[in-house]
Amino acid sequence: MRVLIASLLLIFPLLSSAAIDTYEFEDEATRERFRQLTFELRCPKCQNQNLQDSNSPIASDLRNEVYRMLREGNGNDEIIDFMVARYGDFVLYRPPVNQMTYLLWYGPFGLLIIGLIVMWLISGKRKRKDRDEENLEQRLSDEESQRLKDILDDGNNK
Amino acid sequence: MRRFILFIPLVIFIGIGIFLWRGLQLDPTELPSALLNKPLPQFQLSSLYDEGIELTEADLKGEAALVNVWATWCPSCKQEHAQLNRIKAEGYKVIGINYKDDRQKAKIWLEKYLDPYASNIFDVEGSLGLDLGVYGAPETYVIDAAGIIRYKHVGVVDEKVWQKLKGIIDNLKVAKQTES
């Protein structure tokens, strides 16, 4: 009995690991490329998961496909083009810069520039106002300046 | 002028509101097909009915048709099957791609629920499915007489969807007639 339990315990880990796809790579660099590609490619079925995270059958198919293409010596660009040709730009978590995505890529910079312009206009207005106040004294005639000074002195003396 | 400036935030708010509201109406599971207006991918696969018969993309040309990706493991495929039978009864051509399925099970299914397919491609590995960008059965494509993909529908084909697909097929047929 004890032997049976012990042997079952030994077999169990083997069974559970069989459910997870295991890929073997020739070198560490290829493994890293596989990790990066499956991280950046999006699962077409499950919307907000990449190929690495998703359990859906299509994600596992695409992982196999990435693995196969890596083994055949394809470059990252070729693999990404292969996926885009079939599933469209949707599979990319990093969308390409094109007519459709100009707003996405450059919109924030546009808003930043608008913000800077508004800031510049407001500060310009304030500066003008300050300058107007400074100029006020110079626009008074000598007589008026004298009176202003008297009034201010008066106030101070009290 | 000053009063007008006060309304700018309101205008911006309404603009963003409309933009986001429209975004809410979009169905994010509907992806545009990357193969739209491109020819069917090349393939060489056996017929579901007879292992000995090889089918290629050339066999699908000749008439505007529906190409339906289906499998016995897919519950929604069962749901749309009756509609496909009706489409066949209306005189339209439906081609099947039996996607990652079991040949025997598929044959039994077609005996049981009737067979709307003019021909059936047995894609057990899902290789044609991969080339077509299939990400979940059922998917239905409209192809024209030259085998060019004109439309893709993901999900169940019901009467409403069929009316839309029918319009597309009819237009393709008219275009073909005026051409020749």
Side-chain angles (χ1 to χ4, degrees), chain A residues 45 47 58 61-62 86-88, chain B residues 28-29 100 130-131 134-135:
Chain A
K45 183 70 189 168
Q47 306 280 330
I58 184 71
D61 284 359
L62 294 184
R86 281 157 185 76
Y87 293 95
Chain B
T29 60
K100 292 176 136 191
L130 185 80
D131 286 342
V134 169
Y135 57 90

Side-chain angles (χ1 to χ4, degrees), chain B residues 168-180:
Chain B
I168 297 167
I169 295 181
D170 287 343
N171 281 340
L172 288 172
K173 285 185 173 169
V174 170
K176 168 98 173 151
Q177 263 168 10
T178 49
E179 216 173 82
S180 56

Side-chain angles (χ1 to χ4, degrees), chain B residues 1-33:
Chain B
M1 183 59 197
R2 210 137 257 265
R3 290 215 146 192
F4 174 72
I5 287 174
L6 290 177
F7 281 102
I8 288 181
L10 182 70
V11 171
I12 292 174
F13 170 76
I14 291 175
I16 293 177
I18 291 173
F19 183 73
L20 295 179
W21 176 253
R22 278 198 46 211
L24 279 180
Q25 318 292 319
L26 298 174
D27 180 2
T29 60
E30 247 176 52
L31 311 186
S33 172

Side-chain angles (χ1 to χ4, degrees), chain A residues 21 49 51 77 89-90 107 113 142:
Chain A
D21 324 320
Q49 278 184 305
L51 293 184
D77 287 346
D89 287 341
F90 181 87
I113 289 169
D142 290 345

Side-chain angles (χ1 to χ4, degrees), chain B residues 119-146:
Chain B
S119 57
N120 234 319
I121 301 148
F122 186 61
D123 185 20
V124 66
E125 309 259 306
S127 58
L128 174 58
L130 185 80
D131 286 342
L132 271 172
V134 169
Y135 57 90
E139 290 190 11
T140 303
Y141 298 79
V142 175
I143 58 165
D144 67 8

Side-chain angles (χ1 to χ4, degrees), chain A residues 74-90:
Chain A
N74 291 285
N76 288 9
D77 287 346
E78 279 172 287
I79 296 174
I80 285 171
D81 287 347
F82 175 90
M83 294 296 170
V84 169
R86 281 157 185 76
Y87 293 95
D89 287 341
F90 181 87

Side-chain angles (χ1 to χ4, degrees), chain A residues 76-132:
Chain A
N76 288 9
D77 287 346
E78 279 172 287
I79 296 174
I80 285 171
D81 287 347
F82 175 90
M83 294 296 170
V84 169
R86 281 157 185 76
Y87 293 95
D89 287 341
F90 181 87
V91 291
L92 304 175
Y93 261 126
R94 202 183 323 175
V97 183
N98 61 28
Q99 250 179 328
M100 291 266 289
T101 55
Y102 281 153
L103 188 65
L104 185 69
W105 280 100
Y106 302 121
F109 297 107
L111 287 177
L112 186 69
I113 289 169
I114 292 175
L116 287 175
I117 290 173
V118 169
M119 251 172 67
W120 180 68
L121 286 177
I122 290 174
S123 71
K125 202 188 267 176
R126 186 165 296 160
K127 242 182 228 159
R128 225 176 303 130
K129 212 168 147 200
D130 290 349
R131 213 180 307 129
D132 284 351

